[in-house]
Amino acid sequence: MDDGSAPAAGGYVLGSTDREMARLAALSEVYGPVTAAWLDSAGLRPGATVVDVGCGPGDVSLAAAERVGPTGTVLGLDAAPRPLELARARAAAAGLRNVSFEQADVTRWRPPAPVDAVVGRLILVHLPDPVAQVARLAGTVRPGGVVAFADVALSTRAAQPELPLLTAFNAWLLGTFTRSGRPVDMALRLTGVFRAAGLPDPVLTAAAPLERGGDAVGWSVVAGDVAGLLPVMERTGVATREEIGPETFEQRLRAQAAEHDAVLVNPLVVGAVARTPDGGG
């Protein structure tokens, strides 16, 4: 949300600015391998119909489209028009004709007919009632179809040796999410969410990618979080612009990391995959 108003609990707070698009690109680079492993564990087959909820600029949608092939279809859904424009351009550039994108409220959207799979990466943390939404979306999937969500445990980001600026950022980030009514550990709740939504225990994949030094891509994710969340940080009283210094934040953070040759532990991302009951007894 980038209109300057206070976000409702469960709303997306990181906006759709150029900086946020850059943050999402960095995030996808860091988490590309675990995303691929998660989608592979989902077993998306050629010819399958897939819906990607909260698709953003389309990384998961495009990866799913490659897996289901030209006989399958992927529909990416997002509430913000800006990321969808980028997603459509990326699909066209990749020559993927089996993927399309639609602006929609993912908490209410329903397909005209059951689909083979519903997937979503880093979306449940932003939804007001993850259990209810997973249960609702699972209801749009055919019997024996796939329900797959991946999310993050924000509290697991760290550096070794500890970097003062990252330590400060972690406190700002966790405080902002907590005061905005969002969980900071959704990755660790996925099994419970799936169970409460009436699904079997999911198959899990997980990774907390490691990088080293001042050139780590993950520092761009951190800096993007600062830029996107700054209005909310100030509004909720977590930190002020003067404390954060957003204009030079990334430069200072990278300098600290380079000086100490620090190892960055990017936050743990967990992917969960389950199949809907097939009614076979």
Side-chain angles (χ1 to χ4, degrees), residues 229-251:
L229 289 171
L230 180 60
V232 189
M233 289 178 179
E234 292 193 297
R235 195 160 51 235
T236 55
V238 168
T240 66
R241 174 178 287 272
E242 290 70 25
E243 290 178 87
I244 297 169
E247 296 81 7
T248 62
F249 180 85
E250 183 171 359
Q251 177 184 355

Side-chain angles (χ1 to χ4, degrees), residues 100-168:
S100 60
F101 298 92
E102 178 181 328
Q103 186 175 357
D105 179 351
V106 301
T107 67
R108 297 183 179 183
W109 181 90
R110 296 189 68 88
V115 297
D116 294 316
V118 167
V119 303
R121 185 182 71 174
L122 306 180
I123 180 65
L124 295 184
V125 67
H126 298 292
L127 298 183
D129 189 341
V131 171
Q133 290 303 321
V134 170
R136 186 186 68 80
L137 289 165
T140 71
V141 177
R142 66 166 178 79
V146 171
V147 178
F149 287 92
D151 228 297
V152 65
L154 293 170
S155 59
T156 58
R157 182 186 275 116
Q160 179 59 41
E162 183 176 339
L163 302 178
L165 199 52
L166 184 66
T167 299

Side-chain angles (χ1 to χ4, degrees), residues 4-276:
S5 61
Y12 189 71
V13 295
L14 285 161
S16 57
T17 63
D18 286 343
R19 186 59 186 263
E20 172 59 5
M21 296 303 97
R23 186 192 74 90
L24 290 174
L27 186 149
S28 292
E29 182 175 347
V30 171
Y31 291 107
V34 70
T35 297
W38 163 60
L39 289 176
D40 287 344
S41 73
L44 301 178
R45 297 178 179 177
T49 55
V50 181
V51 175
D52 176 17
V53 295
C55 66
D59 292 283
V60 172
S61 300
L62 299 183
E66 292 176 349
R67 285 164 171 77
V68 303
T71 60
T73 61
V74 177
L75 174 63
L77 303 174
D78 204 279
R82 183 82 176 282
L84 294 174
E85 293 174 4
L86 178 56
R88 293 185 184 105
R90 295 176 67 198
L96 292 171
R97 299 182 179 180
N98 61 340
V99 57
S100 60
F101 298 92
E102 178 181 328
Q103 186 175 357
D105 179 351
V106 301
T107 67
R108 297 183 179 183
W109 181 90
R110 296 189 68 88
V115 297
D116 294 316
V118 167
V119 303
R121 185 182 71 174
L122 306 180
I123 180 65
L124 295 184
V125 67
H126 298 292
L127 298 183
D129 189 341
V131 171
Q133 290 303 321
V134 170
R136 186 186 68 80
L137 289 165
T140 71
V141 177
R142 66 166 178 79
V146 171
V147 178
F149 287 92
D151 228 297
V152 65
L154 293 170
S155 59
T156 58
R157 182 186 275 116
Q160 179 59 41
E162 183 176 339
L163 302 178
L165 199 52
L166 184 66
T167 299
F169 165 80
N170 284 337
W172 300 333
L173 178 72
L174 300 183
T176 300
F177 267 68
T178 299
R179 294 187 188 188
S180 299
R182 293 160 180 78
V184 299
D185 60 350
M186 180 56 71
L188 305 181
R189 303 186 184 197
L190 287 175
T191 295
V193 167
F194 274 52
R195 286 178 179 173
L199 293 165
D201 285 357
V203 173
L204 302 178
T205 55
L210 301 181
E211 299 182 272
R212 183 174 177 178
D215 294 330
V217 177
W219 302 129
S220 293
V221 178
V222 173
D225 283 342
V226 166
L229 289 171
L230 180 60
V232 189
M233 289 178 179
E234 292 193 297
R235 195 160 51 235
T236 55
V238 168
T240 66
R241 174 178 287 272
E242 290 70 25
E243 290 178 87
I244 297 169
E247 296 81 7
T248 62
F249 180 85
E250 183 171 359
Q251 177 184 355
R252 289 180 286 126
L253 182 58
R254 288 185 179 278
Q256 283 187 5
E259 178 184 357
H260 298 285
D261 195 22
V263 172
L264 169 63
V265 183
N266 287 288
L268 175 73
V269 163
V270 176
V273 176
R275 291 192 173 269
T276 57

